[in-house]
Amino acid sequence: MRPSPLLLGIGMIAAPATAGTVTVTIPRLNVAEYHKPYVAVWLEPAAGGPARTVALWYDVKKGGNEPGTKWLADLRSWWRKGGRSMAMPANGVSGATRAPGQYRIPLPADLKPGQYVLNVEAARETGGRELVSIPVTVPNGTAQKSGTSELGAVALSAR
């Protein structure tokens, strides 16, 4: 008996095409009062042009008089590069803050070949803020850089 063509596809999920991945490490900090950081990940063309936000982690569920979006301005570099003009939550970009660990973020599949600067910025309540910038070539570029306080290793692998 031949298996049904419908049964052959069960359990197989096609992954969306991406132009590569960014790996962001949020370090575990030994501090008295720890809050998960807000994090923005964006790309800018090296020759200049509009920034493209790839990921934004903030307190998406906080509402009331001081919603989570109020503190997005603390991601100062991202905010100035275009964050202030984004409508939140941004579909496919916004997400909740993350605990210490390593996270993979897909780059957009429609990213055009060229020279870019990857930026990862973190800001934490009662903590610091940090920006890691890495130049990269798309496709086939790889790069890595480490933060010194709020961010750990940031790596990019472009296909």
Side-chain angles (χ1 to χ4, degrees), residues 43-70:
L43 286 165
E44 296 178 51
R52 181 171 182 178
T53 302
V54 176
L56 182 63
W57 302 337
Y58 66 99
D59 193 350
V60 293
K61 292 186 178 180
K62 186 173 183 180
N65 293 334
E66 293 187 350
T69 54
K70 175 181 179 181

Side-chain angles (χ1 to χ4, degrees), residues 25-59:
T25 303
I26 298 174
R28 184 171 306 280
L29 302 175
N30 189 16
V31 294
E33 185 178 345
Y34 181 82
H35 298 274
K36 296 176 189 173
Y38 278 30
V39 175
V41 179
W42 74 98
L43 286 165
E44 296 178 51
R52 181 171 182 178
T53 302
V54 176
L56 182 63
W57 302 337
Y58 66 99
D59 193 350

Side-chain angles (χ1 to χ4, degrees), residues 22-27 102 118-122 129-135 143-156:
V22 176
T23 304
V24 175
T25 303
I26 298 174
Q102 191 175 69
L118 170 74
N119 297 284
V120 180
E121 185 174 22
R129 96 182 13 91
E130 184 168 23
L131 173 65
V132 173
S133 297
I134 305 172
Q144 183 171 334
K145 192 171 180 180
S146 287
T148 59
S149 58
E150 300 299 324
L151 291 167
V154 175
L156 182 128

Side-chain angles (χ1 to χ4, degrees), residues 39-110:
V39 175
V41 179
W42 74 98
L43 286 165
E44 296 178 51
R52 181 171 182 178
T53 302
V54 176
L56 182 63
W57 302 337
Y58 66 99
D59 193 350
V60 293
K61 292 186 178 180
K62 186 173 183 180
N65 293 334
E66 293 187 350
T69 54
K70 175 181 179 181
W71 309 109
L72 288 175
D74 285 351
L75 296 166
R76 292 178 184 163
S77 294
W78 169 81
W79 188 254
R80 290 181 189 127
K81 291 291 182 172
R84 68 176 147 231
S85 64
M86 286 183 69
M88 295 300 153
N91 192 21
V93 173
S94 298
T97 56
R98 309 293 202 276
Q102 191 175 69
Y103 301 92
R104 293 181 63 155
I105 304 161
L107 290 176
D110 63 349

